[in-house]
Amino acid sequence: MILLLGGTSDIGTETVQRLCQGRTVVAAARRPEAVPDFPGAASRHVLPFDAADLTGHRRLVEEAERTAGEKVDIAVVAFGILGDQARAEADEAHAAEIATVDYTAQVSMLTVLADHMDSGDIVAFSSVAGWRARRANYVYGSTKAGLDAFCQGLSDRLHGTDLRLYVARPGFVIGSMTEGMTPAPMSVTPAQVAEAVVARVRAGRPGTFWVPGALRVLAGVMRLVPRPIWRHMPR
Ligand SMILES: NC(=O)c1ccc[n+]([C@@H]2O[C@H](COP(=O)([O-])OP(=O)(O)OC[C@H]3O[C@@H](n4cnc5c(N)ncnc54)[C@H](OP(=O)(O)O)[C@@H]3O)[C@@H](O)[C@H]2O)c1
């Protein structure tokens, strides 16, 4: 069974659309009514899910398996919020909300999945925003830096087991999360991120990867930009 956490995520749904042929899909979403169809899936189930309710994470995975009558063998952890950086600078509750959804809840859910699943594939989403914190989006960026580091350690823990962790590190993705924003250089679509994820999953090549791959070069340069200039970088 494929478990999609963040059942309306642009990237998550594009990824599951490509993996779901003949398989059971359980989508967990805070807006269950907005979860799309997954053409070709053997069956589709939807469960209500609030990522900020950390104590419900293990129960949700167990309920997904009960609902599907199958074990999870692919989990796509696609929930997340960009948040409002300007608001988060003055409103500590909003800053903590971003940290909770984009870091704490990811750590919690990935821990549940890695503990619960015996074998299969787990997909998580880091971001170029976590590569080097930017003044323009450091609250979100800091969560991705933490998540990226957590995933590196978790990948190493899973090395040699039957469980594989795939961590996509996209640049700017043109979709719901970035609606109204001017695309950055090397922007991609949710479909392109999904294609990259699915290619890695099908090839059985876990680990962390940039999307697009060429972003790796730009990322190298990003680390060299002097701080007085870096400080003025847009998000
Ligand atoms: N878009 C980008 O530029 C970009 C770049 C790099 C990495 N990423 C990462 O890729 C992942 C997927 O992003 P996306 O582009 O697919 O974003 P998206 O289309 O905005 O989807 C985000 C999903 O998270 C769900 N969500 C948010 N808060 C939640 C909560 N408290 N409980 C349950 N679900 C919650 C949303 O539900 P609702 O529909 O109810 O809001 C939505 O399903 C995220 O981790 C994101 O940080 C995105």
Side-chain angles (χ1 to χ4, degrees), residues 113-202:
L113 292 167
D115 181 56
H116 184 87
M117 291 169 66
D118 301 322
S119 62
D121 303 301
I122 304 173
V123 178
F125 294 95
S126 176
S127 168
V128 68
W131 182 245
R132 183 175 178 188
R134 249 171 294 170
R135 190 260 168 269
N137 70 349
Y138 64 82
V139 179
Y140 173 78
S142 69
T143 69
K144 290 299 187 186
L147 174 62
D148 196 289
F150 176 86
C151 287
Q152 288 176 45
L154 180 57
S155 291
D156 285 342
R157 181 189 136 204
L158 298 178
H159 184 78
T161 73
D162 291 332
L163 207 46
R164 292 164 296 272
L165 178 64
Y166 303 83
V167 186
R169 229 188 239 156
F172 188 102
V173 181
I174 303 161
S176 311
M177 190 173 270
T178 54
E179 210 180 325
M181 295 167 59
T182 309
M186 299 180 119
S187 292
V188 286
T189 62
Q192 286 172 298
V193 180
E195 288 291 343
V197 168
V198 169
R200 296 283 295 217
V201 170
R202 293 216 170 109

Side-chain angles (χ1 to χ4, degrees), residues 8-11 30-31 50-51 78-80 126 140 144 171 173 178:
T8 57
S9 147
D10 290 347
I11 298 173
R30 67 173 171 180
R31 291 183 302 127
D50 177 5
F79 59 84
S126 176
Y140 173 78
K144 290 299 187 186
V173 181
T178 54

